[in-house]
Amino acid sequence: TIIESHKEQALRSYEGERGYQPMLAVWAEMDVVLADEFRDGNVPAMMAPLTVAKRAFAALPHTVQTYYFRGDSACHESNLVDWLRDEQRGDGPQGSIGFAISARMSNALHQAILQVPEGQWEVYGEPHPQEIRECAEIDFVPGEKSEHKDTQPLRYVAIRIRPRQEALFRDGSNVKHFAIVSNLWEWKPGRLIQWHREKAGTIEGVHDVVKNELAGGVMPCKYFGANAAWLRLAIT
């Protein structure tokens, strides 16, 4: 999340305003912040998310035996994805961590989505009054240097959203495409999408409470360290 600030040391974020861009990891079932990292506003959201993820899993009690992870496209980063896939990871819980992450829309991925036959698209979720929401499995092997081709393929589920009437979205397009990358092969596409989308309600609710009810959205001074401590107090 972006915390807007006009303090002297605050730097501009990708949205243009000055502030800070901390990263939080939340235990969804308990509504508890497990780990945080205070960052300058100009730090890319997808920079080193693995550090926060490791601290979050390490903070879980030993009674937790089943692990899952879901994140937005900032988490579609090779080091984090490789760590989640490695069931023998030396610096984290052993065994499977099921995950679903919003995929960064590369040109290659977009072309793979466009090649999905019309008959493979299926409606998912509750009917929407203004949009037709469909999903489909796609065969895709990433070719970017930041990702690794290997013998254990990941699952890619494409999402297509179209207006019910002949209309355009604000950007002038008449269809929007998204994708989810996951290692959960046993779930149907609709269930995977629904579970992944639930992250928005969880983390946005935490952001709202921290920033608006616990004063985490108002930085007390110009010093980075003091502001980081202020946010830590708000979430603990």
Side-chain angles (χ1 to χ4, degrees):
T1 184
I2 295 176
I3 299 177
E4 187 174 354
S5 174
H6 298 286
K7 303 298 182 182
E8 181 179 349
Q9 294 185 355
L11 302 177
R12 293 193 182 278
S13 71
Y14 67 93
E15 292 186 352
E17 72 268 24
R18 295 163 62 91
Y20 301 93
Q21 193 172 184
M23 178 176 287
L24 305 179
V26 178
W27 184 0
E29 290 80 3
M30 301 301 292
D31 204 22
V32 171
V33 177
L34 294 172
D36 69 284
E37 184 171 282
F38 196 71
R39 299 178 171 191
D40 281 314
N42 67 339
V43 175
M46 64 176 296
M47 178 174 286
L50 178 56
T51 302
V52 178
K54 286 181 177 180
R55 291 208 301 263
F57 280 103
L60 289 169
H62 296 299
T63 52
V64 176
Q65 299 296 317
T66 304
Y67 303 96
Y68 290 92
F69 179 94
R70 57 191 177 194
D72 60 18
S73 58
C75 296
H76 191 200
E77 189 269 340
S78 59
N79 291 326
L80 173 58
V81 173
D82 289 344
W83 186 83
L84 291 171
R85 298 170 73 182
D86 183 8
E87 296 190 9
Q88 305 300 320
R89 63 191 74 81
D91 48 357
Q94 298 297 289
S96 173
I97 298 179
F99 65 85
I101 297 171
S102 298
R104 287 180 285 116
M105 188 58 68
S106 64
N107 288 332
L109 178 56
H110 189 224
Q111 289 302 314
I113 293 175
L114 294 178
Q115 293 174 12
V116 174
E118 188 62 32
Q120 292 186 16
W121 291 99
E122 59 182 39
V123 177
Y124 72 90
E126 296 294 329
H128 190 277
Q130 298 177 340
E131 299 173 347
I132 300 173
R133 300 178 175 181
E134 301 162 302
C135 63
E137 300 273 1
I138 54 175
D139 294 324
F140 179 70
V141 177
E144 292 86 348
K145 294 181 179 179
S146 61
E147 303 183 50
H148 301 284
K149 295 181 180 179
D150 53 38
T151 57
Q152 186 180 5
L154 289 170
R155 180 187 189 186
Y156 282 81
V157 174
I159 299 170
R160 183 173 71 176
I161 299 178
R162 298 177 292 157
R164 289 193 176 276
Q165 298 181 348
E166 289 296 329
L168 299 178
F169 291 108
R170 289 184 178 180
D171 61 1
S173 64
N174 60 0
V175 61
K176 289 185 177 294
H177 293 113
F178 305 93
I180 295 173
V181 57
S182 176
N183 64 344
L184 297 169
W185 290 90
E186 66 274 16
W187 293 2
K188 292 184 178 180
R191 181 189 176 193
L192 181 67
I193 294 170
Q194 180 181 1
W195 177 73
H196 175 257
R197 292 301 188 218
E198 288 173 358
K199 70 174 176 55
T202 300
I203 192 63
E204 292 303 327
V206 170
H207 289 164
D208 180 63
V209 171
V210 170
K211 293 167 70 173
N212 299 315
E213 297 183 23
L214 301 177
V218 180
M219 295 293 100
C221 67
K222 67 178 182 179
Y223 298 110
F224 181 91
N227 291 333
W230 179 259
L231 181 67
R232 178 68 59 82
L233 288 172
I235 64 177
T236 55

